[in-house]
Amino acid sequence: MSYSASMRRTALLASAFSLLLNNAWAAAAADEGYSGVPYTSSLSVTSAVVSQVMNERSLNPTAADLFTPVKGMPFI
């Protein structure tokens, strides 16, 4: 089995996705010139919220989805 095939079979857990989102948010908020919502642990994205959104939208992301470009989005 190839590495990419293995990634397509590895479910992205809500807890892992919330950790990724919070780390990205905290890093962005620490950048000079950031004008978005400040990151604090009291506002962090919880795995419960991620699970709820995934369930409501019937999303079952895999590890491979983290590396798949979103169609229609320019590279930043």
Side-chain angles (χ1 to χ4, degrees):
M1 176 186 324
S2 72
Y3 181 70
S4 62
S6 175
M7 286 181 63
R8 283 192 296 272
R9 290 195 242 289
T10 303
L12 184 59
L13 301 176
S15 58
F17 196 47
S18 65
L19 182 63
L20 175 73
L21 291 171
N22 287 316
N23 284 334
W25 183 10
D31 282 348
E32 186 176 328
Y34 175 79
S35 60
V37 176
Y39 176 81
T40 66
S41 59
S42 64
L43 292 176
S44 65
V45 179
T46 65
S47 59
V49 169
V50 172
S51 289
Q52 179 182 356
V53 171
M54 288 168 60
N55 290 335
E56 287 175 357
R57 297 183 182 199
S58 299
L59 299 174
N60 297 301
T62 67
D65 291 325
L66 292 174
F67 303 98
T68 303
V70 176
K71 292 180 181 171
M73 296 297 294
F75 180 77
I76 298 174

